[in-house]
Amino acid sequence: RGDLWFGSYNRGVVRISRKGATTYTRLNGLRSNSIRQFFEDKAGNVWIATGSGLSCWDGHALKTYYLEDGLAYGSVRVITQDRQGDLLVGTDGGANRLRNGKFIQDPLLAQIGIERVWAILEDSGGGLWLGTRGGGLFRVKTGKVTRYTTRDGLLSDSVFQLLEDRRGRLWMTGPAGI
C-alpha cells in the first residue's frame, strides 16, 4: 500500500500513510509496545514481532497472538513466509508455523526445541534455515533437520541474520562478523 511502518523500543508503532500518521500501542490493540520486526505477507497483512507476542494489521484492525494461541514463547524475534504461504515465527523459545491464522504442529520445527530463533530464511532450493542465539544454525530440508555449529566451521554459534545471494550462497551475520 506504500505505507511506512516504524517500530520503537517501548512506544509502539507509527504508520505513515497518504492520510497521515497513526500511532498504535497496547491501548489500540497492539500486543506489546516493544517492536522487533515488521513483515508484510503475500496478502498484504503487516505482521509485527514484539517483545510479548505477535500482532497483525489486516488494513482495518489489529489481531494479536500469544501463548494461549499456540505461540512457542512470548518474545518474538523474526517472521517470514514460506512458499506454501505459511508464516514462520521465530521466538526466544523455539519456532512456530502459522497456517491460515492458526498455529499448527510442525514436527521438524519441534526438533529445534527451545532454541532462541533470531533469523529464518527459505532458500531458493526450498531449504529452511534457522539462525539461533547461541545454538548454531539449523537446516530443515526433505524431512531432516541438520545442525551446524562452530565445530562445523561457523564463526559463532549465534546467527542474527540470514541472506541468500543471486548465486545461491548463504550469508549470515553474528557477533563474530559476516
Side-chain angles (χ1 to χ4, degrees), residues 32-102:
S32 167
N33 289 335
S34 175
I35 309 306
R36 299 219 168 111
Q37 186 199 18
F38 295 100
F39 178 79
E40 184 176 2
D41 68 20
K42 294 171 186 171
N45 300 307
V46 176
W47 294 85
I48 307 165
T50 79
S52 181
L54 184 62
S55 293
C56 178
W57 173 255
D58 66 2
H60 306 288
L62 285 164
K63 178 175 171 78
T64 63
Y65 298 84
Y66 200 59
L67 302 175
E68 60 270 12
D69 301 303
L71 187 62
Y73 192 83
S75 179
V76 179
R77 294 289 178 168
V78 63
I79 310 159
T80 195
Q81 192 168 30
D82 68 12
R83 292 177 184 165
Q84 289 75 37
D86 291 351
L87 288 179
L88 303 166
V89 181
T91 75
D92 279 337
N96 283 103
R97 182 175 294 277
L98 188 67
R99 180 176 294 155
N100 299 322
K102 303 269 187 216

Side-chain angles (χ1 to χ4, degrees), residues 8-171:
S8 70
Y9 175 70
N10 63 4
R11 294 189 182 193
V13 170
V14 174
R15 177 177 60 102
I16 299 176
S17 68
R18 290 177 179 85
K19 296 178 183 178
T22 307
T23 300
Y24 301 97
T25 67
R26 291 190 67 203
L27 296 174
N28 307 98
L30 192 63
R31 177 66 202 163
S32 167
N33 289 335
S34 175
I35 309 306
R36 299 219 168 111
Q37 186 199 18
F38 295 100
F39 178 79
E40 184 176 2
D41 68 20
K42 294 171 186 171
N45 300 307
V46 176
W47 294 85
I48 307 165
T50 79
S52 181
L54 184 62
S55 293
C56 178
W57 173 255
D58 66 2
H60 306 288
L62 285 164
K63 178 175 171 78
T64 63
Y65 298 84
Y66 200 59
L67 302 175
E68 60 270 12
D69 301 303
L71 187 62
Y73 192 83
S75 179
V76 179
R77 294 289 178 168
V78 63
I79 310 159
T80 195
Q81 192 168 30
D82 68 12
R83 292 177 184 165
Q84 289 75 37
D86 291 351
L87 288 179
L88 303 166
V89 181
T91 75
D92 279 337
N96 283 103
R97 182 175 294 277
L98 188 67
R99 180 176 294 155
N100 299 322
K102 303 269 187 216
F103 289 105
I104 63 165
Q105 295 297 318
D106 184 320
L108 294 173
L109 292 181
Q111 289 182 42
I112 295 166
I114 59 169
E115 292 289 346
R116 295 178 286 177
V117 178
W118 281 26
I120 303 174
L121 171 79
E122 184 178 28
D123 66 28
S124 57
L128 184 63
W129 297 88
L130 296 99
T132 70
R133 171 81 172 158
L137 178 67
F138 290 83
R139 182 178 189 222
V140 180
K141 177 101 179 186
T142 59
K144 182 180 172 190
V145 177
T146 306
R147 180 186 216 161
Y148 301 94
T149 66
T150 53
R151 292 184 306 263
D152 303 299
L154 286 182
L155 290 176
S156 169
D157 285 333
S158 291
V159 176
F160 299 156
Q161 186 176 16
L162 295 163
L163 298 168
E164 181 181 19
D165 68 18
R166 288 183 221 152
R167 295 182 180 170
R169 294 178 296 193
L170 184 67
W171 295 82

